[in-house]
Amino acid sequence: FALFKQHGLSVDLIGSAETNVTVSLDPTENLLDSDAVAALAADLEKICRVKVIAPCAAVTLVGRGMRSMLHRLSPVLAEFGRERVHLISQSSNNLNLTFVTDEAMLDGLLPRLHELLIRAGALRTDDAALFGPSWQVLYGRNPVAVREPWWKKEQARLLELAHPSPVGRGLEAATPRYVYHLPTIRERARALRALSSIDRIYYAMKANAHPAILHAIAEEGVGFECVSPGELAAVDGIREAGAVPRLFTPNFAPRDDYAYAHQHGVPTTLDALHPLQQWPELFANREIMLRVDLGRGLGHHDKVRTGGAGSKFGLPLDQLDLFVALAQKNLTRIVGLHAHLGSGILDATHWAEVYGQLASIAEKIGSVAYLNLGGGLGVPSHPGEAELDLAALDASIAEVRQAYPQYRLWLEPGRWLVADAGVLLARATQVKRKGALNYLGCDAGMHALIRPALYDAWHEIVNLSRLEEAATTLYQVVGPICESGDVLGADRRLPETSEGHVLLIARAGAYGESMSSNYNLRDLAASVVIE
């Protein structure tokens, strides 16, 4: 350190270990031309081995109580794990955590960190009193057009549905209750059917298998993507709606599941070597689809990313040649390729990229006629987020189709079709203050809607009983389940809310009722459909 002082250089950050000391020099505070650095290194080499790393950048996370936040920063730490990190430094005042990495990493790293921390990640909040208006609101040239949700016009009707009705000498609980708006689902289905570049739409019915929803989707000419015999059977129950095309795309399913699909004449997708290696007679002289892993995953959370080595889905490309050889030996014909990288994707060019990659693989196989571009069409949930641009999606796919016109294209959205159409009604049960936090309890917990607890999903929450009143109080909205993770929404600013007020949780039409349970032996949420 005496040598640093001798050369007039001020150390910025320090990291030490048993065998080395790493320091960073800030060029805004030091004259760091090549001669100065070389002179310092020459003097340091008299007492130690020296390695100079440049150019670097310091990325600092700033916030109160940084040490206590580390458990919420695991996605951020994982992101740094993908980069070359030379130094990590935490301030003694517990206000910041700094990572020194290669400067070349910044362009890709900073947007990902912003997404993880601010837009949809560990520290996400839409409380304007804390962060103020977004950059897009303040300076964006193209303000985001926001459609008024259907439930605002249906306030009176929804409040009526949320009130208990007399049954005999008691009362039938009216909340928690899912309410589905079929006109919204039909509108979404028609928008997808209007895509000129896509030949067929399949609804990923695991998102919501309510019979009325399945009927409405079938009537709009949309097929069904199924992942279990139970889902295939549910579609059988609506066949009176017309000829309903189906796909069977299981994952790590038992042998009997594939046999069931064959017995019912449903096209089947494989995504591993095991079925052809262990059950070749089951697929002999049959046509199949093959789901491949393109090596990367997308989505707002690890649990919705379905690509890459960390995901259980898809055949790795380094096993493709062996899979094709097994299929040829078994007289199994690969007629389709499928890839699905994750959910919640709002980049309209994504599916065109998948198209190009699948087409290049299909050309090598030679027997492929269909390309399934997967789903994952994103639904914006936070204020200020733009909706997925379907016109841009259509145009980008059409452009790639000029190079590969020989393939029929399929798309299999799930959440995009039904999320906006569903809301979850709940009733406020208790209010509690602990320290600086206000807890607002309701009768809908993670047993009714597990998405927030499972993968940090964000849902808008409003006080439907006081919908037009000013939001003045910051609440932690929680449920009745005996788990610390039973939080439906953190830091939600609502009008002052009391026991009995009706809360509405928006965009709950997908993966809400279908993933609900009787955990803590609580009843399942009821559901109702409105036109």
Side-chain angles (χ1 to χ4, degrees), residues 118 124-138 383 493:
I118 306 300
R124 173 68 201 187
T125 177
D126 287 300
D127 181 24
L130 177 62
F131 278 144
S134 68
W135 180 91
Q136 290 88 345
V137 171
L138 290 172
R493 195 167 290 275

Side-chain angles (χ1 to χ4, degrees), residues 100-358:
V100 177
T101 184
D102 291 342
E103 189 177 73
M105 303 294 185
L106 284 187
D107 287 346
L109 179 62
L110 291 182
R112 295 200 301 272
L113 291 179
H114 182 77
E115 178 70 22
L116 287 167
L117 285 166
I118 306 300
R119 274 171 47 85
L123 308 180
R124 173 68 201 187
T125 177
D126 287 300
D127 181 24
L130 177 62
F131 278 144
S134 68
W135 180 91
Q136 290 88 345
V137 171
L138 290 172
Y139 306 110
R141 295 181 180 179
N142 300 312
V144 175
V146 179
R147 291 185 297 178
E148 184 176 76
W150 62 268
W151 46 263
K152 285 192 175 182
K153 297 178 181 178
E154 298 284 353
Q155 179 188 9
R157 192 175 181 185
L158 291 172
L159 286 173
E160 183 179 343
L161 288 171
H163 283 87
S165 57
V167 176
R169 290 181 295 176
L171 290 176
E172 179 187 19
T175 57
R177 173 174 294 204
Y178 282 97
V179 183
Y180 303 119
H181 190 241
L182 290 185
T184 296
I185 294 172
R186 294 193 181 98
E187 175 190 343
R188 287 292 175 109
R190 291 166 190 170
L192 290 176
R193 289 292 309 280
L195 295 175
S196 60
S197 61
I198 299 296
D199 298 297
R200 182 170 290 176
I201 303 293
Y202 289 92
Y203 167 56
M205 63 179 289
K206 60 183 177 290
N208 193 320
H210 191 288
I213 290 176
L214 299 186
H215 276 279
I217 288 174
E219 288 170 354
E220 296 299 332
V222 174
F224 294 93
E225 185 259 340
C226 308
V227 296
S228 71
E231 290 190 352
L232 289 171
V235 177
D236 281 338
I238 61 164
R239 293 304 287 269
E240 68 271 19
V244 182
R246 292 176 293 173
L247 282 178
F248 186 52
T249 57
N251 175 252
F252 283 97
R255 185 186 190 280
D256 289 348
D257 284 10
Y258 298 95
Y260 181 94
H262 291 166
Q263 291 167 7
H264 290 76
V266 181
T268 299
T269 301
L270 302 184
D271 73 341
L273 295 172
H274 186 100
L276 286 184
Q277 290 175 326
Q278 304 301 321
W279 318 317
E281 71 287 353
L282 193 61
F283 301 96
N285 297 298
R286 288 189 178 275
E287 295 182 344
I288 62 164
M289 303 277 293
L290 169 62
R291 177 173 179 171
V292 295
D293 182 352
L294 297 178
R296 67 190 192 281
L298 296 175
H300 70 91
H301 191 278
D302 283 343
K303 288 186 174 63
V304 300
R305 296 171 192 157
T306 52
S311 168
K312 66 172 185 161
F313 298 96
L315 181 83
L317 292 181
D318 60 8
Q319 297 176 13
L320 179 63
D321 290 344
L322 177 56
F323 187 96
V324 172
L326 287 170
Q328 291 174 344
K329 179 181 178 181
N330 198 47
L331 299 180
T332 302
R333 193 162 181 262
I334 304 170
V335 297
L337 285 181
H338 174 207
H340 176 70
L341 276 62
S343 299
I345 301 168
L346 293 170
D347 178 4
T349 65
H350 162 73
W351 293 271
E353 294 175 4
V354 172
Y355 180 8
Q357 291 176 282
L358 289 182

Side-chain angles (χ1 to χ4, degrees), residues 197 199 352-364 369 371 396-409:
S197 61
D199 298 297
E353 294 175 4
V354 172
Y355 180 8
Q357 291 176 282
L358 289 182
S360 64
I361 297 171
E363 286 187 323
K364 299 175 184 177
L371 299 180
S396 63
I397 292 177
E399 184 176 352
V400 178
R401 195 160 194 171
Q402 294 178 5
Y404 302 102
Q406 68 270 39
Y407 301 110
R408 304 276 290 172
L409 299 183

